[in-house]
Amino acid sequence: MKASRVIDLLNSKETGIEVSVKGWVRTKRGNKQVAFIAINDGSIIHSIQAVADLGKFDEETLKQVTTGACISVSGTLVPSQGQGQKVEIQADSIEILGAADESYPLQKKGHSMEFLREIAHLRPRTNTFGAVFRLRHHMSFAIHKYFNDRGFFYLHSPIITGSDAEGAGEMFRVTTLDLNNIPRDENGDINFKEDFFGKSTNLTVSGQLEGELAAMALGQVYTFGPTFRAENSNTPRHLAEFWMIEPEMAFYDIKDNMDLAEDFLKYLVSYALEYGMEDLEFLNNQYDKELINRLKFVVENPFERLTYTKAVDVLMASGKKFEFPISWGTDLQKEHENYLVEHFKRPVILTDYPKAIKAFYMKQNDDENTVRAMDILFPWIGEIIGGSQREENYEKLQRRIKEMHIPEEELWWYLDTRKYGACVHSGFGLGFERLMLFITGMTNIRDVIPFPRTPKNAEF
Ligand code: ATP
Ligand code: MN
């Protein structure tokens, strides 16, 4: 008989039918007559209970039904006598597909998140990580669906990049040079002409620049891929390898950009509420009783929109003593972002930042001091989206590149788009794991990606 998934059995309208299921034993308990075996196959947070009359099974088999073992059970699906489930399986046969050694580290009692990170190869088998990774899947799918439904095209931007225009000093080098025998040029510098690509290359920090090129041809595009930052910031919100969603749109100004970003985030949160509710309920009950309320609040309320300058006024007027003192021109720290979100009691979109603290490609305002940036700040997370209207004027862009000492020759292809049919356009970047922090209520970004990459950590 073909095995059914646990989700289909638990939702079955029919009982009295012969079924079979394959999965991993979560618990086994019982008495002298029967054993109750909870089997989970990852299809849903709940396990299905199999009831085995001890008279029917040999001791050897039942001894191997231990937490962590992989088994196959066949029997009759019947209405459950016990509480907590509608149906259960009255077992006729049990096959041990893979026994679990006694050293299996996941026992029923709760383990700390720190401990579970040390066994990242097994933590998907816990209820918590099952829930997180199922929600991660739902969100990935929802992202593609959102853009596809609106006529955006999915663009694959490169992972290896030859330009370090955006994040100099924070990139991971890609090389095939022999580190024990580095070729030098006549000045004694590393001779990248001998490297694989004949030039210095790195892992990308963003797909935006390539996204812009494509938007100048396909109109509306988005990237969704891994990005890498060698920033040595050991925080609960930074990874060295994380996934980013970057839409780029021709003919969008900053207002259109904000509208899209707000609509997009609300769509994703409501999608989670619609398709991931059982997992959300588990996380809500287990960790954070406000989680679902917070998600609903975001969907139902407009985001607050104000300029950076006004936000600084609010912060200065607060009378609060911040660890990092605030004044016009300084970059906002997490404490400032948190204050603003709490002050307005909702997500906040800040615009028109000082140009000195933002990237070269942002559209310059007429005041000469600010650029048309927009960052979205979320409760708990702080910055979840960073975006802007892009500078489409060739001369202004070139001037800014010079001012910021960015090697212009590396960006000739980017500048070309401002020479050939430039137009108003905008885009933003959503950090996927920041979104997942918000959706799941997890407090550390290491717990929303299957195998986190952080300083001194790349075990699995
Ligand atoms: P932060 O100030 O929080 O470090 P940033 O200004 O460096 O963020 P951007 O360069 O604007 O961020 O990147 C776009 C988005 O990518 C951010 O809004 C955030 O959601 C996400 N992000 C940035 N850095 C990281 C990281 N190291 N790990 C996970 N997500 C990140
Ligand atoms: Mn950063």
Side-chain angles (χ1 to χ4, degrees):
M1 189 189 322
K2 196 171 177 301
S4 303
R5 294 188 316 153
V6 170
I7 187 172
D8 298 325
L9 295 180
L10 291 179
N11 292 331
S12 173
K13 300 235 153 50
E14 252 184 305
T15 51
I17 47 172
E18 292 303 300
V19 298
S20 118
V21 70
K22 290 177 183 169
W24 292 269
V25 176
R26 282 294 173 81
T27 57
K28 184 178 77 173
R29 52 188 186 84
N31 51 38
K32 290 217 175 72
Q33 282 92 43
V34 288
F36 299 102
I37 307 161
I39 304 157
N40 189 283
D41 69 353
S43 60
I44 183 171
I45 186 125
H46 308 297
S47 299
I48 191 155
Q49 172 163 290
V51 184
D53 282 325
L54 296 194
K56 257 199 220 166
F57 298 94
D58 65 285
E59 227 173 279
E60 240 346 271
T61 307
L62 282 178
K63 241 168 67 191
Q64 292 188 73
V65 179
T66 59
T67 301
C70 186
I71 64 171
S72 166
V73 175
S74 303
T76 313
L77 190 70
V78 296
S80 177
Q81 309 293 310
Q83 284 185 341
Q85 66 269 325
K86 282 206 294 266
V87 293
E88 63 192 18
I89 300 174
Q90 195 66 52
D92 291 327
S93 79
I94 299 175
E95 191 188 342
I96 309 295
L97 303 177
D101 191 88
E102 275 169 21
S103 58
Y104 185 65
L106 290 170
Q107 298 306 325
K108 195 171 179 240
K109 61 175 171 22
H111 298 287
S112 75
M113 289 294 163
E114 289 76 12
F115 172 70
L116 292 172
R117 268 173 232 148
E118 289 167 15
I119 51 165
H121 58 309
L122 295 173
R123 68 177 184 170
R125 297 200 202 175
T126 61
N127 280 335
T128 299
F129 286 93
V132 168
F133 298 146
R134 274 187 299 274
L135 285 164
R136 199 179 151 102
H137 161 78
H138 289 312
M139 287 298 92
S140 307
F141 184 78
I143 286 161
H144 288 299
K145 179 162 168 53
Y146 179 87
F147 287 123
N148 184 62
D149 287 352
R150 286 156 186 79
F152 284 63
F153 299 107
Y154 180 27
L155 182 86
H156 298 97
S157 48
I159 290 178
I160 298 174
T161 170
S163 86
D164 62 355
E166 251 212 287
E170 300 193 335
M171 301 179 98
F172 289 99
R173 181 175 296 292
V174 174
T175 182
T176 54
L177 291 179
D178 178 358
L179 295 185
N180 292 312
N181 186 17
I182 295 173
R184 304 275 168 184
D185 62 18
E186 52 278 18
N187 302 323
D189 296 332
I190 298 172
N191 187 2
F192 286 109
K193 289 210 177 71
E194 289 191 24
D195 204 348
F196 189 91
F197 296 105
K199 63 184 294 196
S200 158
T201 51
N202 294 291
L203 293 178
T204 187
V205 296
S206 155
Q208 177 202 318
L209 301 188
E210 290 87 356
E212 282 187 54
L213 310 182
M216 296 298 103
L218 299 167
Q220 309 181 124
V221 300
Y222 69 105
T223 69
F224 184 3
T227 50
F228 307 86
R229 296 191 187 178
E231 51 194 0
N232 210 343
S233 44
N234 236 321
T235 81
R237 300 179 307 130
H238 288 89
L239 290 164
E241 175 182 294
F242 65 100
W243 288 65
M244 187 134 72
I245 301 101
E246 295 179 278
E248 285 293 329
M249 298 76 62
F251 318 121
Y252 272 52
D253 66 12
I254 190 170
K255 163 85 168 40
D256 303 322
N257 204 22
M258 285 191 278
D259 291 346
L260 180 76
E262 181 169 342
D263 185 61
F264 178 48
L265 287 170
K266 286 178 168 166
Y267 175 90
L268 295 178
V269 176
S270 35
Y271 192 96
L273 288 166
E274 188 171 348
Y275 294 95
M277 200 46 162
E278 282 183 317
D279 289 324
L280 289 176
E281 274 168 354
F282 171 81
L283 296 170
N284 191 89
N285 297 339
Q286 195 77 9
Y287 296 102
D288 178 355
K289 301 274 185 285
E290 278 307 302
L291 173 64
I292 291 176
N293 284 341
R294 208 161 48 235
L295 297 178
K296 288 188 174 153
F297 183 88
V298 162
V299 174
E300 286 158 11
N301 292 280
F303 297 0
E304 186 74 28
R305 300 182 183 192
L306 71 162
T307 63
Y308 165 93
T309 303
K310 288 219 179 83
V312 170
D313 289 345
V314 170
L315 290 166
M316 303 223 299
S318 72
K320 231 185 124 175
K321 210 165 156 25
F322 293 111
E323 191 189 332
F324 295 90
I326 184 82
S327 62
W328 199 94
T330 53
D331 210 351
L332 299 186
Q333 303 292 327
K334 179 102 189 330
E335 54 174 340
H336 308 127
E337 298 175 350
N338 283 349
Y339 181 87
L340 291 169
V341 170
E342 272 160 37
H343 176 82
F344 291 106
K345 297 205 171 18
R346 60 189 60 217
V348 174
I349 312 186
L350 294 184
T351 58
D352 303 290
Y353 281 71
K355 68 175 179 189
I357 59 171
K358 287 292 181 188
F360 72 92
Y361 49 71
M362 296 192 180
K363 171 98 187 146
Q364 295 159 38
N365 281 322
D366 294 336
D367 66 11
E368 305 265 300
N369 286 323
T370 60
V371 287
R372 231 163 272 180
M374 62 135 208
D375 282 6
I376 304 191
L377 314 179
F378 252 42
W380 280 76
I381 316 299
E383 182 188 328
I384 194 167
I385 277 182
S388 71
Q389 188 174 322
R390 316 306 190 190
E391 182 57 76
E392 78 276 16
N393 180 286
Y394 186 91
E395 283 73 34
K396 283 188 181 172
L397 187 60
Q398 195 184 38
R399 205 178 321 129
R400 196 72 193 123
I401 286 173
K402 284 211 175 76
E403 272 168 22
M404 293 176 79
H405 307 292
I406 296 166
E408 194 180 326
E409 65 280 4
E410 278 186 20
L411 286 173
W412 63 271
W413 45 272
Y414 183 73
L415 278 161
D416 260 8
T417 53
R418 275 62 175 175
K419 247 171 29 192
Y420 308 125
C423 67
V424 167
H425 66 288
S426 297
F428 60 82
L430 167 66
F432 187 49
E433 286 74 20
R434 298 262 174 102
L435 171 76
M436 291 313 303
L437 279 176
F438 184 72
I439 297 283
T440 61
M442 293 285 105
T443 51
N444 194 310
I445 199 161
R446 291 165 180 75
D447 300 328
V448 295
I449 187 164
F451 303 104
R453 298 287 177 255
T454 50
K456 304 277 179 287
N457 171 35
E459 179 69 19
F460 300 96

